Amino acid sequence: MLVGIDVGGTFTDGVLYGNGRILESVKTPTEDDNLQETIITVLDDLLRGRKGEDIRRLVLSTTLVTNLLAAGQGDEVALILIPGPGLNLRQLQFFPQAHIIKGATDFHGRITEALDGEEVRELGQKIVAAGIEKVAVVGKFSQRNQRQEGQVEEILLARHPHLKVVKGFGVAGELNFPRRAVTTYYTAMTQDAWGEFAASIKRALVQRGITSPIDILKADGGTMPLEASLNSPCETIFSGPAASVMGALALTMDEQTAVVVDMGGTTTDLALILQGKPLHASRGAMLGGYYSHVRSLALRSLPLGGDSAVRWTGEEISLGPDRLGPAACFGGPVATPTDAVNFLAGGHLGPLSLSQEALARVAHPAGLKTETLAQDLVGQVIEVLKDSIKEMFKSWEEEPAYRIWEIVNKQRVKAQRLVGIGAAAQAFVPILAKEVGCPAFVDHYSPVANALGAAVSRPTLSLQVHADTRQGSYYLSLDGIVGRCKGDLQLADVKDLARKHLRQLAAQRGIGQYADRSEVFLAEQFNMVRGWSTTGKLFDVGIKIAPGVIDDYKGV
Amino acid sequence: MVNTFQTRDKELEKGLKERTGLVFFPAFDWAISPTHPEREERLLYTRDQIFEEGIMDLPQIRQYQPRLAQAKDIARVHFCVPHIESQATLAHRIAAGGALVLADALMKGEIKNGFALVRPPGHHAMRVVHGNRGFCNINNEPVMVEYLRQRYGLRRIAIIDTDVHHGDGTQDIYWHDPDVLFISFHQDGRTLYPGSGFGNEIGGPLAQGTTLNVPLPPGTTDEGILFVVDNLVLPVLEEFQPELVVNSAGQDNHYSDPLANMSFSARGYAKLNEKLAPDLAVLEGGYSIEAALPYVNMGIIMALAGLDYSLLQEPDYKPEYSREAPGRLEKIRVMVEGLREVFSHREKLVEEARRRLGPLAQRRRQIYYDTDQIREEQLETLRVCEDCPGYLTIKSIARGPGGRNRVYCVSIPIQACPRCQREGREKYQGAIRKSSRAYDHIYLQDRVADEYGQYNHSTGDISLG
């Protein structure tokens, strides 16, 4: 049996999956200040009358880190930046509290300005005097040479061994220094809180006789083992929308191009699945208002849901963005877009009279016919969703490309299907699909698709290798791994190197069985020509285990 | 009615207009040859630098994807021999298309200015193109300018060529156009390719003074170049009042460039762009791919986006690189004064030329294509018209490794009067009718009608687009 639990902002969903079907599903309000309590409640409900040891896998998607970031909780962190020449971070108001120190490394990893040891020592004293114990240190091009980040750590720890230093290179090795700084900072900030949470969940599960692997859903639609998550808590953010997209994939189980419309009470999330693969955002997830290196799915969130409150303000009719309760036809206090659909379709969702009365209470003072109001409301919701879908495709098509073949081979894509997820999908997605011009898919499991998606998502792992034969070295974008390479390295060798490291890292994370599913997504090489002769080669190879469902899941 | 579903989009849209548009097309799969300066690696470290800086994440920047320039976009500017496909490869069409994307974005008000960081470059490509000259086949800025004129009705445009090499291709294309101000400052042609761009090259007889050349002594620094900007470029622009300013943005004035000998810095480039405030900039040359380009490109982007560039600096920069020798500055001052004189008398110069000349003005030239080793002989004939800049006919014979090509071209400018347009078209038709063996190809460029024709003598095919 598999368990998937998706902690959402309002509700927490859980499913128990086994023998090719969903055995149980649970929905309960989320208690923001006691997430583990909520999770355990859902788990106990799912397991009622069953044995904990029969669980083979448990996957959690939680909002813990999201909440920490939103509330600015977590540990206080001193951010030390080594930007060298370039953008003026102060003028950009980039982490106004950051400590900017001397030192610089260039794109080849050459140190072009030395650190000032005295400056670092003084800074260390200041940090300790302020009672701060966590330090994030991040250098521009630190992935090309880790020395200066390491020196800062050494200097700080020599005087203050109790400090905990998180280095940028170990957190994210892809190009983009500000995103590395953001990711490193928030990693340092949330690591302990996440660790405590993970430990308490683990204890609770052991008490219930559950010894199965515990996996955490990430923003990219894949999972990671609980142990691996301790080093990268930020990967857990935005896993809720990822759960829904993976749920859509789990319900459809084919390679069509689809738009996932996750329509809840107050918001709607849109995502794209291109030929069976969820589309990732080209920039990393936003953390605290900044882009980060956290890979996430390309999502568009609209402040509009099936229960968005409809009101007459005295001057105009307003829609949302808040929710006062369920739709009137389900016993709620005010008219909602769901009531509009229900009214127009003659009460196929709930009692017609309830929707009609609620709508009339808004329509009459506005001088409208109830029917006109209902039509306007539905029309407007559909219009907004349709435009957003169009924009999503457009922005995917407009992703920058850096090679001739990419531009020449760029294809326009069209949705083959709309997959409706969430409580309000049943009401709106069929109408929306008609407008977009493709079939709608709304399964009876759609309301718990997110929890199902969590339960059956497979692990993902993505890394890049950058090799420089002139320097005879390479580094990985993950875990701060570096190595030596030969001068006659070829692209095929670098791909092998990437595969080897992926296998090792997958094995260390306990997801070794998925290593052979990896695919190379980036393979480029450049000759370094100095004067008129080639003096070396540069390689960039990216390899990943892409999101998908686990092997033993065959659909419901 | 129900209309209060507010999204933040409106607010965002307002903010977008303050953005700088950026097309980054490094053509990582294109090279003239594996070890040529114009090779895959050229913008690799620029990519590393601008990606690592994260500048494209800033709200001040909006990145665009280039598109393919159409054959017609190219025919508006060039006579490609034997045909467009042979001269404009996919890479050229994407580089030019990158500039067009930004032109559209600017005119739609999506951006306040833009930088097409594209390769291959173009400013040595002339009106007639038999092959590659100075790493260029297709001239990106004129393709963009003529597109803007046709599509959006712009007329008066200024192109400031800041590459270290004289922008002889762009100069050739606008030699007879009084509505396009072309100013090139560059290392003295006696010491550098292409060996032209002297102070006395001031435009064709009916467009005198709207071409200005400033040949700078080798070693000129930030101080010298910014002196030219302050004392020539900016005052001339102020008087010319163009609707659009284009920076033909080469980066080989940099002190580390291996193919030239100037002493300009990354911060100097930033300052230049801040002062010039071009609406659109298009990358041209620059071959110091490690020591200059990553920093110069950052500098240009920062200046256009209004970001502080005072912390930008090459790792090996020394302040003395920027200080001008007094003797050199004096030479530059004299040159600048002479050129301002030329510019302020331009109308008189044109008037005199009209009086002096008969109905036709001719220019005979030899053009060398260094990359492709082609020698071209050209006879250009301008119809001296009272009412417009006049139409142009060009007889051109090129000999090179690929054999011999003889072409006859008619170019009718966008300002042409009805008579010149009619006469020009008659010349084209007449040449086809005669169909003598004198020409392999006959071309028509009618910018008034936005029509471009070509006749192939060996096949007898006529195309009109």
Side-chain angles (χ1 to χ4, degrees), chain A residues 266-326:
Chain A
T266 46
T267 58
T268 303
D269 288 334
L270 299 172
L272 293 186
I273 295 179
L274 300 172
Q275 292 166 341
K277 295 251 165 67
L279 177 68
H280 285 100
S282 58
R283 301 170 190 214
M286 281 273 197
L287 298 184
Y290 302 98
Y291 287 110
S292 73
H293 274 304
V294 173
R295 262 172 85 74
S296 81
L297 299 182
L299 291 167
R300 206 158 272 235
S301 248
L302 302 168
L304 176 65
D307 301 341
S308 295
V310 177
R311 297 186 182 88
W312 170 247
T313 65
E315 286 173 9
E316 55 189 9
I317 287 157
S318 70
L319 173 53
D322 59 332
R323 169 187 189 268
L324 298 179

Side-chain angles (χ1 to χ4, degrees), chain B residues 387-391 411-421 446 448:
Chain B
D387 305 318
C388 75
Y391 70 91
S411 174
I412 300 165
I414 198 159
Q415 314 92 325
C417 66
R419 195 185 67 166
C420 278
Q421 189 193 13
D446 181 349
V448 177

